[in-house]
Amino acid sequence: MEALRPVPRTLLRDRAYEAIRDAIVTGEIEPGAVVRDAEFAERLGLSRAPVREAFARLVDEGLLESKPQSYTRVTPVVAADVRDAAAVVGAMHELATRAAVPRLRETDLDMMRAANDRFAAAVRAGDVDEALRADDELHDVLIRVAGNRAAAATVARYTPLIRRLERRRFGEGGSCRSAGLHERLIEACATGDTRTAVRVTADIWHTLADLADPD
């Protein structure tokens, strides 16, 4: 498992959490797989304590489920959970966009444009990993500029649930979010049109929620 390499012995709990979370989101650890702290501690080159703490956090965030004295395993991808997460994350992004637009500088807009260029290129190339990274980078500009720590924490907590389904849909031949929506968002941000920027942000996250609808 590529995501489960030894990590430096700094911020061990957070590094263990990030490595295991990423392995779950990318599908390296599949839904239903049983996870064991001793095995992951060995893979990551850590003691069992930070791995157990990472497991507890992932249970709280819905990526793992645990039955005391029995098992800890990766949760299934549940459409209703994804819709709920997308609704919450979308609301936080709308909040951040509303706060950020009046504060954006040209350097921030340049970062968003560059991220969207990478996003569009990755979609054309079928590179899901790069597309999702670029997508995160674009929206993270607004989260950062807004400066709302509660919104940022909520986005960080629930986005992995959405990413699991996104990756599955793209792997099944689905399409990535349109770079055109990003272009509209950036244009509204550049002109200081907060209302339109918030509306486009809502459209982007409604598109994500639609991924969870039954076929």
Side-chain angles (χ1 to χ4, degrees):
M1 297 180 182
E2 293 183 1
L4 299 176
R5 297 189 297 269
V7 298
R9 300 188 68 83
T10 56
L11 301 175
L12 298 182
R13 175 185 60 193
D14 292 341
R15 296 298 297 275
Y17 161 78
E18 291 169 1
I20 298 167
R21 177 202 63 196
D22 291 349
I24 292 171
V25 170
T26 61
E28 289 185 44
I29 311 173
E30 296 181 351
V34 173
V35 296
R36 298 177 177 84
D37 55 9
E39 176 188 350
F40 280 70
E42 182 178 358
R43 286 181 177 274
L44 294 169
L46 302 173
S47 68
R48 293 168 72 171
V51 174
R52 286 172 180 163
E53 292 181 53
F55 280 5
R57 184 173 172 184
L58 290 162
V59 168
D60 186 52
E61 294 181 359
L63 292 175
L64 293 178
E65 57 187 3
S66 182
K67 182 177 180 181
Q69 308 304 318
S70 181
Y71 61 78
T72 300
R73 65 189 179 193
V74 179
T75 56
V77 179
V78 178
D81 292 344
V82 175
R83 283 195 296 270
D84 289 346
V88 170
V89 171
M92 293 301 99
H93 276 286
E94 290 177 46
L95 177 67
T97 298
R98 187 174 289 107
V101 170
R103 307 175 187 175
L104 288 167
R105 299 174 297 178
E106 193 60 36
T107 53
D108 299 317
L109 295 167
D110 288 342
M111 291 176 65
M112 294 175 70
R113 294 183 183 106
N116 197 39
D117 287 344
R118 291 194 300 275
F119 174 84
V123 171
R124 288 193 298 270
D127 187 341
V128 176
D129 288 332
E130 179 58 25
L132 294 180
R133 277 194 295 270
D135 184 70
D136 283 338
E137 289 175 16
L138 188 156
H139 292 285
D140 283 350
V141 172
L142 296 170
I143 293 288
R144 171 180 54 79
V145 173
N148 187 320
R149 294 176 63 183
T154 302
V155 168
R157 173 171 180 167
Y158 290 107
T159 296
L161 287 172
I162 305 167
R163 290 303 194 218
R164 282 209 295 171
L165 183 62
E166 279 189 284
R167 292 182 61 86
R168 174 177 293 185
R169 288 287 189 259
F170 301 154
E172 294 169 350
S175 59
C176 211
R177 272 184 278 178
S178 170
L181 282 174
H182 288 160
E183 291 173 359
R184 288 170 51 199
L185 173 61
I186 294 167
E187 180 180 358
C189 289
T191 59
D193 186 346
T194 301
R195 179 177 296 181
T196 297
V198 172
R199 186 173 65 250
V200 175
T201 298
D203 289 343
I204 289 170
W205 291 93
H206 288 159
T207 299
L208 264 183
D210 290 344
L211 285 174
D213 288 339
D215 295 329

